[in-house]
Amino acid sequence: MTRIILLLVETAVELVPQEIRNHPAIQAYCRRRRQDPRWTILDSSYHHAAMKGLNNYQKRGRPDILHFTLLEALGSPLNLAGNLEIYCHTQDEAFIEISPTVRLPRVYDRFKGLLSQLYKEGIIKTDEGEVLLRMERKNMAETISSLKPEKTYLLTEKGRKASREELREIFQKIARPLFMVGCYPHGDFSEETKRLAEDSLSLSDKRLEAWTAVSRLLCIAEE
Amino acid sequence: MTRIILLLVETAVELVPQEIRNHPAIQAYCRRRRQDPRWTILDSSYHHAAMKGLNNYQKRGRPDILHFTLLEALGSPLNLAGNLEIYCHTQDEAFIEISPTVRLPRVYDRFKGLLSQLYKEGIIKTDEGEVLLRMERKNMAETISSLKPEKTYLLTEKGRKASREELREIFQKIARPLFMVGCYPHGDFSEETKRLAEDSLSLSDKRLEAWTAVSRLLCIAEE
């Protein structure tokens, strides 16, 4: 099996921004859950009313997409065989390294709790000291150069349609292919993301959810 | 592309059983969320303490598995192309028909709310009257015979290892193949499920999560 670097990009995860922390919708949400608004993960399903004033708000506050995409990647046969590296870059310029052996909470609220802890402490370890998640401030260009890929690909429905045969060739010929998959709900990739991709590929005529794009990519790599 | 019938079996979804409705853990959970215990979906992440006395409790109360697996199936290219039928049979003998066009809530709590409504009303429709979800009392044997498959397969790590080539042959030769995938956390399939499968296939040496088994099956069917 091939070894693949998966980089989830423009991930719609961030803490509630300071500018809306005092909004009644945020205050009520935090009071009900006994959470500190400074360490609460932005979630458009609950904070929609507060988010309308935010720049680019339709791309933001969807930790559910990251949750499901990570569960998909972590449970893949490719990862179980030790042939996947999983990283995430968020819209607020955080880089997250994900251990291939981390067991994420299945329940969404607990996943958000884990992200909140990660923002606070920068690292999540087991009792034995094994690092499960690590977060650093790093922009996309630094992120990619630190991962040392041989070639970078962006999966996007606007890319060149890639047949399975072509993907198999990439997996055979490229030693460390890095695949970027967008983890946000709506809209186009940023110019920076597009610039950092050496090639743009499409897996389907239709727009796929992030987790579907990931499962299809990995499924072909597992052959 | 092939047409496939996907039947999620022994799905760990049910209402909180009457025998534990008065348990303090259930009462506290329902009070906090202002829910009626009679129409609350059992969830082992929150009701663990109350569930210990239940028969077979380790297989029960995991609606998150159904949630992810349905999102996976509904967003698949096979479904988007109109070539997938999705059904679910639960551990409490309910049969659920899922419209290929339903847009499920992304947020777990709202998905459970939808299931609760389905248990209460038996049907979920759009404002225009289109049926999105329908629930009926039906046992597994009745369920399968009502779906009129040409052949039934059970996906299980204990089955015969099926190569992709063999799956492709099934997709080519069998007009209405029905694939059963278990949607519960631990333990073996029931004797009834095993008896209703004409063939048992394994997609991987390792035990796969339900959503991973589904995505791999559909990925091969989409070729």
Side-chain angles (χ1 to χ4, degrees):
Chain A
M1 274 198 268
T2 322
R3 188 170 181 88
I4 282 185
I5 312 175
L6 179 66
L7 178 60
L8 308 174
V9 298
E10 303 192 29
T11 302
V13 164
E14 63 187 298
L15 293 173
V16 169
Q18 188 165 10
E19 59 196 288
I20 61 168
R21 247 181 240 157
N22 292 323
H23 189 285
I26 303 288
Q27 291 287 326
Y29 175 90
C30 290
R31 211 168 31 240
R32 212 166 40 239
R33 298 177 183 230
R34 293 178 201 151
Q35 281 181 14
D36 181 342
R38 289 174 305 167
W39 300 108
T40 292
I41 299 293
L42 187 70
D43 187 338
S44 71
S45 296
Y46 298 98
H47 309 148
H48 193 71
M51 285 175 66
K52 280 182 186 159
L54 291 178
N55 184 24
N56 228 349
Y57 76 95
Q58 284 166 314
K59 274 183 86 168
R60 297 166 70 174
R62 286 291 303 272
D64 58 304
I65 301 178
L66 176 64
H67 186 209
F68 196 20
T69 305
L70 285 181
L71 288 177
E72 184 74 55
L74 287 163
S76 67
L78 197 74
N79 186 54
L80 299 178
N83 290 318
L84 185 62
E85 294 176 29
I86 311 170
Y87 307 97
C88 165
H89 193 263
T90 67
Q91 287 172 5
D92 64 347
E93 301 284 355
F95 168 69
I96 308 175
E97 210 172 316
I98 294 118
S99 160
T101 59
V102 65
R103 289 177 55 83
L104 292 181
R106 267 40 181 160
V107 165
Y108 182 51
D109 274 332
R110 295 194 182 151
F111 175 69
K112 288 194 288 181
L114 188 73
L115 286 178
S116 166
Q117 192 188 341
L118 185 62
Y119 270 97
K120 214 171 188 168
E121 301 170 7
I123 197 163
I124 309 280
K125 291 182 191 180
T126 63
D127 292 341
E128 291 74 35
E130 191 199 343
V131 175
L132 299 176
L133 300 171
R134 187 200 307 269
M135 179 182 271
E136 280 177 84
R137 293 284 136 194
K138 216 185 233 184
N139 67 31
M140 266 288 282
E142 291 165 343
T143 291
I144 288 184
S145 85
S146 73
L147 299 177
K148 302 196 192 329
E150 185 179 333
K151 190 165 176 184
T152 58
Y153 299 88
L154 179 64
L155 296 190
T156 160
E157 78 272 26
K158 293 184 180 158
R160 176 167 54 80
K161 181 85 169 68
S163 67
R164 295 191 181 207
E165 201 39 64
E166 184 180 348
L167 285 167
R168 286 181 200 115
E169 262 181 44
I170 292 173
F171 298 143
Q172 274 164 21
K173 290 189 182 158
I174 308 289
R176 279 179 67 78
L178 180 148
F179 290 89
M180 293 185 253
V181 175
C183 261
Y184 60 87
H186 301 289
D188 202 4
F189 287 99
S190 72
E191 289 309 314
E192 191 191 15
T193 300
K194 287 190 258 186
R195 204 177 54 242
L196 289 165
E198 293 171 87
D199 203 350
S200 290
L201 304 176
S202 157
L203 299 184
S204 168
D205 307 327
K206 304 224 167 87
R207 189 176 194 284
L208 300 180
E209 310 273 9
W211 56 83
T212 311
V214 165
S215 68
R216 294 310 179 273
L217 177 75
L218 302 187
C219 174
I220 298 166
E222 288 156 9
E223 278 185 16
Chain B
M1 273 197 268
T2 322
R3 189 171 182 87
I4 282 186
I5 312 174
L6 179 66
L7 178 60
L8 307 174
V9 298
E10 302 192 30
T11 302
V13 164
E14 63 187 299
L15 293 172
V16 169
Q18 188 165 11
E19 60 197 287
I20 61 168
R21 247 182 240 157
N22 292 324
H23 189 284
I26 302 288
Q27 291 288 325
Y29 175 90
C30 290
R31 211 169 30 240
R32 213 166 39 239
R33 299 179 182 229
R34 292 177 202 152
Q35 281 181 15
D36 181 341
R38 288 173 306 166
W39 300 108
T40 292
I41 299 292
L42 187 70
D43 187 339
S44 71
S45 296
Y46 297 98
H47 309 149
H48 193 72
M51 285 175 66
K52 280 182 187 161
L54 291 178
N55 185 23
N56 228 350
Y57 75 96
Q58 284 166 314
K59 274 184 86 169
R60 297 166 70 173
R62 286 290 304 273
D64 58 304
I65 301 179
L66 177 64
H67 187 209
F68 283 165
T69 306
L70 285 181
L71 288 177
E72 184 74 55
L74 287 162
S76 67
L78 196 75
N79 186 54
L80 299 178
N83 290 318
L84 185 62
E85 293 176 30
I86 310 171
Y87 307 97
C88 164
H89 193 263
T90 67
Q91 287 172 6
D92 64 348
E93 301 284 356
F95 168 69
I96 308 175
E97 210 172 317
I98 294 117
S99 160
T101 60
V102 65
R103 288 176 55 82
L104 292 181
R106 266 41 181 160
V107 165
Y108 182 51
D109 274 332
R110 295 194 183 151
F111 175 69
K112 288 193 288 181
L114 188 74
L115 287 179
S116 166
Q117 192 188 342
L118 185 62
Y119 270 97
K120 214 170 188 169
E121 300 171 7
I123 197 162
I124 309 279
K125 291 183 191 180
T126 63
D127 292 342
E128 291 74 36
E130 191 199 343
V131 175
L132 299 176
L133 300 171
R134 187 200 307 269
M135 179 182 270
E136 280 177 84
R137 294 283 136 195
K138 216 184 233 184
N139 67 31
M140 266 288 282
E142 291 165 343
T143 290
I144 288 184
S145 86
S146 73
L147 299 177
K148 302 196 192 326
E150 185 179 333
K151 189 164 176 186
T152 58
Y153 299 88
L154 179 64
L155 297 190
T156 160
E157 78 272 26
K158 293 184 180 158
R160 176 168 53 80
K161 182 86 171 66
S163 67
R164 295 191 182 207
E165 202 38 65
E166 184 180 348
L167 285 166
R168 286 181 200 115
E169 261 181 43
I170 292 173
F171 298 143
Q172 274 164 21
K173 290 188 183 159
I174 308 289
R176 280 178 67 78
L178 180 148
F179 290 89
M180 293 185 252
V181 175
C183 261
Y184 60 87
H186 301 289
D188 202 3
F189 288 99
S190 73
E191 290 308 314
E192 191 190 16
T193 299
K194 287 190 259 187
R195 203 177 53 242
L196 288 165
E198 293 170 88
D199 203 351
S200 291
L201 304 176
S202 156
L203 299 184
S204 168
D205 306 328
K206 304 225 167 88
R207 188 176 196 282
L208 300 180
E209 309 274 9
W211 56 84
T212 311
V214 165
S215 68
R216 293 310 179 273
L217 177 75
L218 301 187
C219 174
I220 298 166
E222 287 156 9
E223 279 185 15

